[in-house]
Amino acid sequence: MLKDVNAQVLLAQIMRWSDPEEVGRNVPVLQLLADHKYNQYQQFGPGKQFVESLALWLQQFDHEDRAEALSFVRDRLVFISEQEIAHLVQLAYPDVIVQERLKLIAEESGIPPYRVGQLMSLPRFEQLRIQSLYLGLSDGAHTNDLRRASNGAISNEQIWQAYELGEAKAEDMLEELKVSLKSSSVLHPSDYIPPRFSLIWLVDDFSGSGNTYIRFDTKDRRFKGKIKKIYERIYSGDLIDPDYYEVYLLLYVATRQAIDHIEYWSERFTSEQGFKPLKLHVLCPIEKSIALSPSTDPALMSMLSKPKYYDDRASDRHISVGGTESARLGFANCSLPLVLSHNTPNNSVYALWGPEDYQFFGLFPRVSRHRQT
């Protein structure tokens, strides 16, 4: 409590709030935001909380820019908490995964899709449940939470926290799949089903641009990304049945920019290669109106463009993959005012995520998964 009071006093000093009414208009709102959400940010340094971080962040700005910076935090910031992500994870299995399986079986059987009970009673429904593979595309995929949210419908042998599987792990998963198929009541003893997965679910928490999933490298004249690698694994035939498969990309949160990018380039990739199309599901889309722009936020965008509020070290080779030299407006110029509780995406404006050891650091400093060289 004393630490909160000290941080509030520091904030008032930095903002030069001498009028008690001005303090009363601002501090309670900021403390409420901190208590409700922002203190949950997992990359704050030991003992640091939001109000203290806000005061130190604002101190970097020239005094005439501090009100605009504070207004940005109060009025434009979007913070997605761990509880909100957990809610989306809870919805994923019943609202998306089961529904896609029902849709497939309805098409195969000719049974109307609204006859859910009849479809779920078919042996094929259980068979495809067993032959579903779930792969996390990052450490934010919450694969264990997804498994628990399925109430036992997803087993440990069907889920892996990475999209690239070693040979030993793949063999173990196939062996367990073979055992599950033989021990289930959905197959006749004389039936033979090759121990291969058929429904592939690629899971991730967030996409801001879509570039890491699929992109076309104009220099090398070839496609790159995680989706490309998954399809290549399918046609190796060792883990996934190349004669019967569906590939789904399930994102808990994604921007409209990422959705449009993934849909366009994955369609180009799969059609050119003769693969079955990717099916994209986004539980919480972030529309373009959320992003900052000169037309809606002229004063804020002008302020963020000042060289003193940026560190050129952020303009590295990983940022260049998004097609820009600067990270000032985020990876691929996404210009997002977005923070995720476990880490701020680099698709957000640099002023939010700049690392703590940089000349200008962010309000919610990001921990990069890439080592700087």
Side-chain angles (χ1 to χ4, degrees):
M1 185 66 181
L2 180 60
K3 185 176 179 63
D4 288 341
V5 172
N6 290 338
Q8 292 170 13
V9 170
L10 175 61
L11 178 62
Q13 291 175 346
I14 290 171
M15 295 300 298
R16 300 181 187 175
W17 290 331
S18 56
D19 185 349
E21 291 187 4
E22 192 168 20
V23 175
R25 284 195 303 270
N26 287 279
V27 170
V29 173
L30 293 169
Q31 191 61 58
L32 178 64
L33 290 170
D35 294 339
H36 182 61
K37 275 194 173 183
Y38 299 163
N39 283 342
Q40 300 174 28
Y41 188 61
Q42 297 171 18
Q43 303 304 335
F44 281 147
K48 184 183 288 187
Q49 292 190 314
F50 169 69
V51 175
E52 178 187 359
S53 180
L54 176 63
L56 297 174
W57 180 72
L58 288 169
Q59 193 173 27
Q60 302 174 105
F61 291 90
D62 293 339
H63 178 69
E64 59 268 22
D65 290 330
R66 290 175 187 172
E68 185 67 39
L70 182 62
S71 176
F72 167 45
V73 174
R74 285 192 49 165
D75 303 331
R76 297 292 270 114
L77 185 65
V78 177
F79 188 104
I80 299 181
S81 69
E82 192 67 19
Q83 291 87 343
E84 288 166 329
I85 290 292
H87 177 66
L88 296 175
V89 175
Q90 290 285 333
L91 295 176
Y93 189 78
D95 288 7
V96 177
I97 296 172
V98 170
Q99 299 308 314
E100 281 294 330
R101 201 185 326 149
L102 287 170
K103 187 186 302 183
L104 278 176
I105 297 170
E107 292 172 355
E108 290 178 359
S109 64
I111 298 173
Y114 60 82
R115 294 186 176 177
V116 175
Q118 184 179 357
L119 291 168
M120 295 181 73
S121 67
L122 295 177
R124 181 67 167 158
F125 183 78
E126 177 67 5
Q127 180 187 335
L128 287 180
R129 180 193 69 78
I130 296 172
Q131 290 184 282
S132 295
L133 177 65
Y134 303 87
L135 302 174
L137 298 184
S138 76
D139 55 5
H142 295 263
T143 50
N144 285 332
D145 295 331
L146 177 63
R147 177 180 57 80
R148 287 188 287 268
S150 74
N151 292 319
I154 301 175
S155 69
N156 277 319
E157 294 74 29
Q158 293 174 271
I159 198 162
W160 189 242
Q161 64 271 22
Y163 67 98
E164 293 181 297
L165 290 166
E167 184 176 338
K169 180 60 183 177
E171 289 177 356
D172 288 345
M173 297 182 85
L174 288 175
E175 185 60 34
E176 291 295 335
L177 173 60
K178 184 177 180 180
V179 171
S180 296
L181 285 171
K182 284 186 174 181
S183 62
S184 70
S185 58
V186 302
L187 300 177
H188 188 274
S190 62
D191 290 338
Y192 173 72
I193 299 294
R196 297 289 187 272
F197 291 100
S198 292
L199 307 187
I200 315 306
W201 287 92
L202 311 176
V203 184
D204 213 346
D205 61 339
F206 172 76
S207 178
S209 69
N211 284 43
T212 59
Y213 301 108
I214 187 71
R215 64 186 183 275
F216 185 76
D217 190 313
T218 55
K219 182 179 179 180
D220 295 340
R221 304 299 301 170
R222 62 189 180 95
F223 286 97
K224 294 183 178 180
K226 299 175 181 179
I227 290 172
K228 173 182 178 289
K229 293 179 180 179
I230 291 296
Y231 274 93
E232 288 174 345
R233 184 62 184 265
I234 288 173
Y235 279 85
S236 70
D238 64 331
L239 185 67
I240 300 160
D241 184 355
D243 296 323
Y244 184 91
Y245 69 91
E246 299 288 346
V247 182
Y248 305 93
L249 176 58
L250 173 61
L251 301 173
Y252 304 133
V253 182
T255 66
R256 182 58 57 185
Q257 178 177 339
I259 294 169
D260 293 344
H261 175 95
I262 293 168
E263 288 181 338
Y264 175 79
W265 286 108
S266 66
E267 193 280 330
R268 283 276 305 271
F269 167 68
T270 55
S271 62
E272 289 182 14
Q273 301 297 321
F275 299 153
K276 296 192 70 173
L278 175 84
K279 297 181 180 180
L280 174 64
H281 289 276
V282 178
L283 289 170
C284 179
I286 297 178
E287 300 300 337
K288 292 180 180 179
S289 59
I290 297 297
L292 307 179
S293 74
S295 60
T296 58
D297 311 276
L300 176 58
M301 295 295 279
S302 177
M303 183 192 74
L304 294 178
S305 69
K306 294 183 178 181
K308 65 176 69 177
Y309 304 146
Y310 184 66
D311 191 315
D312 287 332
R313 285 179 290 178
S315 301
D316 59 20
R317 61 186 178 87
H318 304 294
I319 290 296
S320 67
V321 172
T324 65
E325 294 182 359
S326 171
R328 192 185 306 277
L329 298 180
F331 184 86
N333 277 346
C334 288
S335 303
L336 296 178
L338 178 69
V339 176
L340 303 178
S341 62
H342 74 281
N343 209 10
T344 306
N346 64 0
N347 307 93
S348 291
V349 293
Y350 171 83
L352 285 179
W353 59 262
E356 284 188 299
D357 59 344
Y358 278 21
Q359 185 174 351
F360 185 93
F361 55 84
L363 175 57
F364 297 93
R366 169 180 170 80
V367 174
S368 176
R369 59 190 179 88
H370 299 295
R371 182 174 178 174
Q372 302 300 322
T373 56

